[in-house]
Amino acid sequence: MHTMTYTSQLPIVDLAAAGRGPQARRLLHAQLHSAAHDVGFFQLVGHGVTAAETTALTSAMRAFFALPEADRLAIDNINSPHFRGYTRVGDERTGGSRDWRDQLDIGAERPAHVPGPGEAPYWWLQGPNQWPAALPELRIAALNWVERLSGVAERLLHELLVSIGAPEGFYDDNFGPHAHPHLKLVRYPGSAGDGADQGVGAHKDYGFLTLLLQDHVGGLQVEREDGVFHDVPPLRGAFVVNLGELLEVATNGYLVATKHRVVSPPGATERFSVPFFYNPRLDARITPLTFPYASAAPGVTTDPANPLFAEYGRNELKGKLRAHPLVAARHHADLLAAEGRQLTTAG
């Protein structure tokens, strides 16, 4: 009973209901519509990802973080102009403050695309991953996860669009074989010695959908309508789903991207977390959605410090330059200077 009161704070959506006949699908759409319009966060079950697939990923991830530090630093993301690889504790920033976690950033496995003359600088974000030599199973499990969750997210996006009266395939052309998914394997090592408890600071995600696999420790908090950050207790076998800024922009604020953060676990408790970001092609231009509720859309929440661009790649590059200052300084000093000039003129 105790668990029910906890999990009732976020809606639970069963994606498998889409295949159980018209009535079950209608109910799914009502739940999805409400969750995406009112909260921007929900727990997803019925997604079809098996316990065996999940274990393959989480055991490879734990093995990675158990490697000697030298093995992890051999694939430090400072080596990668594409922002791929390992970030040590405290090297990533959210809202200008350091995040007390270490992580491995993985994307679609593609050849590097160094931007040529006249090409957008966001093509730097395409490139190969860095993998630990000692752990070949990690590459297999992680790339399998990217593929599986891309499929789940695509089905979910279709149902979500139908739930608000839009054509289910409206954004299919923005994804396809050149979509830009992003997977993070994250470890929160417990609280920082200086008492700072920002596992990751309050932020919104800038893609379409995020599917998060939590472990049993918890620590994720979501800002609700009351302006207070509420805990999201782990639900076994579920993904915590939140909407990204692109869906908020595409629906003129009818669907909400919600601020969330992670509070570090107490003492020396480790927490592992696997967020998967379902992102479109870097050069995708996001067309505003045509849907029956558009007249009820409140408009997009604007933040002068965080301008949103129509081309997805510009949003992601802006975020990466801020989050990974060491990589940016080593590989992209020219882009940092350009962004500084843009912000000055925007202000």
Side-chain angles (χ1 to χ4, degrees):
M1 205 51 220
H2 195 49
T3 322
M4 283 309 294
T5 38
Y6 270 131
T7 51
S8 64
Q9 62 166 286
L10 273 194
I12 297 173
V13 172
D14 180 1
L15 189 56
R20 290 195 199 120
Q23 195 174 348
R25 193 170 180 221
R26 273 197 302 274
L27 180 60
L28 165 68
H29 291 157
Q31 289 176 318
L32 262 180
H33 185 156
S34 164
H37 174 55
D38 300 331
V39 190
F41 258 87
F42 51 91
Q43 301 262 21
L44 186 73
V45 297
H47 42 69
V49 177
T50 64
E53 288 172 300
T54 304
T55 303
L57 182 75
T58 53
S59 56
M61 169 172 70
R62 285 171 180 269
F64 171 72
F65 286 111
L67 288 173
E69 189 181 41
D71 286 19
R72 284 177 275 133
L73 290 177
I75 58 168
D76 194 319
N77 74 346
I78 204 161
N79 305 326
S80 166
H82 319 295
F83 298 88
R84 304 293 174 84
Y86 176 68
T87 307
R88 67 182 103 193
V89 174
D91 275 3
E92 188 176 18
R93 293 181 177 267
T94 301
S97 301
R98 62 180 189 167
D99 296 329
W100 202 247
R101 61 180 184 172
D102 58 347
Q103 65 187 37
L104 185 62
D105 280 287
I106 298 160
E109 191 68 74
R110 299 208 177 108
H113 182 160
V114 176
E119 279 194 303
Y122 57 66
W123 288 114
W124 277 114
L125 297 171
Q126 179 178 310
N129 294 300
Q130 297 191 80
W131 301 105
L135 209 60
E137 63 269 33
L138 180 66
R139 182 181 193 275
I140 296 162
L143 292 179
N144 178 54
W145 196 257
V146 168
E147 190 175 330
R148 287 287 277 130
L149 263 64
S150 293
V152 173
E154 180 182 40
R155 290 191 349 251
L156 176 60
L157 180 60
H158 283 176
E159 299 301 333
L160 177 58
L161 292 177
V162 172
S163 81
I164 59 167
E168 69 171 36
F170 191 87
Y171 288 116
D172 284 2
D173 290 347
N174 291 136
F175 289 89
H178 299 289
H180 190 74
H182 177 207
L183 174 65
K184 280 180 186 276
L185 307 180
V186 186
R187 172 178 63 174
Y188 297 89
S191 299
D194 59 7
D197 67 351
Q198 171 170 307
V200 60
H203 65 286
K204 297 180 178 186
D205 296 340
Y206 35 74
F208 264 72
L209 292 168
T210 303
L211 279 68
L212 172 76
L213 178 68
Q214 289 205 85
D215 69 7
H216 60 281
V217 174
L220 175 65
Q221 297 183 332
V222 172
E223 188 176 30
R224 298 294 293 263
E225 310 87 285
D226 56 11
V228 175
F229 280 89
H230 292 264
D231 288 327
V232 180
L235 181 65
R236 184 181 288 280
F239 292 115
V240 181
V241 176
N242 66 279
L243 278 56
E245 289 174 327
L246 285 184
L247 269 176
E248 183 174 311
V249 171
T251 59
N252 197 29
Y254 187 77
L255 300 182
V256 289
T258 305
K259 275 193 173 170
H260 51 287
R261 67 185 185 191
V262 174
V263 175
S264 290
T269 311
E270 281 189 319
R271 172 182 183 261
F272 293 91
S273 135
V274 186
F276 169 80
F277 305 93
Y278 184 57
N279 301 326
R281 300 189 327 262
L282 289 169
D283 58 351
R285 298 187 71 84
I286 308 307
T287 314
L289 192 64
T290 313
F291 66 110
Y293 301 92
S295 60
V300 176
T301 45
T302 52
D303 176 357
N306 183 30
L308 288 172
F309 304 110
E311 271 175 305
Y312 170 67
R314 291 184 68 189
N315 295 307
E316 174 147 338
L317 181 62
K318 174 193 69 184
K320 288 279 197 284
L321 292 170
R322 293 179 183 186
H324 295 283
L326 302 180
V327 180
R330 174 180 277 197
H331 298 283
H332 302 298
D334 54 330
L335 300 181
L336 278 179
E339 191 186 75
R341 284 194 299 276
Q342 268 179 356
L343 278 176
T344 318
T345 51

